[in-house]
Amino acid sequence: MNDESGATKGAVLVVSGPGGRLAAQVATRLARDGYPVGIIGPEGAETTAADVVSAGGRALGVRAEPGDRAGLDDALARCTDLGATAAVVLDFHPPDATRSRQLVTLADDEWDSWCEAPIRWCLVGLQSAFQLLSASGGVIVLIVPTVSLIGAEGYVAATTAGEAQRILAKSGARRWGGSGITVNVVAVPLDALPDEDPGEPGESAQLSLGPPALAPPDPAIGIASVVTSLTGPLGGMVTGATICLDGGAVMAP
């Protein structure tokens, strides 16, 4: 473990929504790089933290439901037991976000579950992260699917939710820079988000404009690298940006 990097950059907190697979992978990667990590989510956070500790890292898992402002505030505060907070990573997508559904077939409860609820969760997550970082500054990184940048048949809910979250992130970036807080977005392929059956064969949509220009990346490694870079000098120059971690498949501005 690289104790020096963790001691100098402080705790990196991964805040997960209801899925948690990607957030757990990011937390594990950060721990391998020597950062103490707090893992927050409705389920699995304690198990992921225990796995990190078993591997020789420092971690704390705290249960909190997405959209529960008081619960998330408390969880973030508890994670400061690991040390000063440098960054908060937000990932708010439902477990079935990868499912393809035609717009004309979406029921009210499906639209709320796949689109409106994640937007509310993101708002609350940003509010809690700001409250935590407002005194000393820090980094907020929001994870969205690349499909939100280009759209795709069958993924209107995921596209709408992701784009709304990007707008929230940009709004926070504009307002919070004076408090020393940066807010940036990383976009990853939809299949890197929480596990779920994508549907019957033939239901999947075209989710990129072409094959990646580079070898398919590991989103967890990419996100961890972005987070650690933004906690250094680069963080003072970049805010409100969207960084696409898909090997060049989308190449959206």
Side-chain angles (χ1 to χ4, degrees):
M1 298 296 295
N2 185 352
D3 292 329
E4 182 178 356
S5 67
T8 56
K9 294 184 179 178
V12 176
L13 307 181
V14 176
V15 181
S16 172
R21 179 187 68 170
L22 181 58
Q25 292 172 345
V26 173
T28 300
R29 181 69 192 188
L30 288 166
R32 289 176 182 171
D33 291 341
Y35 290 82
V37 293
I39 304 107
I40 302 172
E43 58 183 26
E46 297 92 338
T47 300
T48 301
D51 290 342
V52 168
V53 172
S54 296
R58 294 181 59 212
L60 177 64
V62 185
R63 181 180 177 85
E65 295 293 331
D68 177 2
R69 175 66 191 275
L72 187 51
D73 287 349
D74 179 67
L76 286 167
R78 287 181 59 190
C79 286
T80 60
D81 291 345
L82 293 167
T85 302
V88 177
V89 182
L90 301 172
D91 175 17
F92 293 114
H93 296 277
D96 48 8
T98 60
R99 296 178 65 186
S100 172
R101 287 292 182 273
Q102 294 298 315
L103 179 62
V104 295
T105 69
L106 282 172
D108 290 348
D109 59 339
E110 291 175 323
W111 181 257
D112 184 73
S113 175
W114 298 345
C115 180
E116 295 187 20
I119 296 172
R120 293 194 299 269
W121 298 337
C122 180
L123 173 62
V124 171
L126 287 169
Q127 291 170 334
S128 289
F130 172 78
Q131 177 173 298
L132 178 73
L133 299 174
S134 59
S136 57
V139 172
I140 300 173
V141 174
L142 175 67
I143 302 171
V144 304
T146 52
V147 69
S148 68
L149 306 178
I150 57 174
E153 181 183 356
Y155 291 92
V156 173
T159 298
T160 304
E163 192 63 7
Q165 290 181 9
R166 285 207 317 135
I167 292 171
L168 286 171
K170 285 180 176 289
S171 297
R174 287 186 180 279
R175 300 297 300 175
W176 301 342
S179 299
I181 298 173
T182 62
V183 188
N184 289 288
V185 177
V186 293
V188 300
L190 193 65
D191 58 11
L193 294 174
D195 293 310
E196 181 62 31
D197 179 5
E200 297 299 325
E203 281 192 277
S204 60
Q206 177 69 27
L207 299 180
S208 70
L209 301 181
L214 306 175
D218 182 329
I221 293 176
I223 293 168
S225 297
V226 168
V227 171
T228 55
S229 295
L230 291 174
T231 59
L234 182 65
M237 296 179 280
V238 180
T239 195
T242 297
I243 303 168
C244 206
L245 302 179
D246 67 346
V250 171
M251 294 192 183

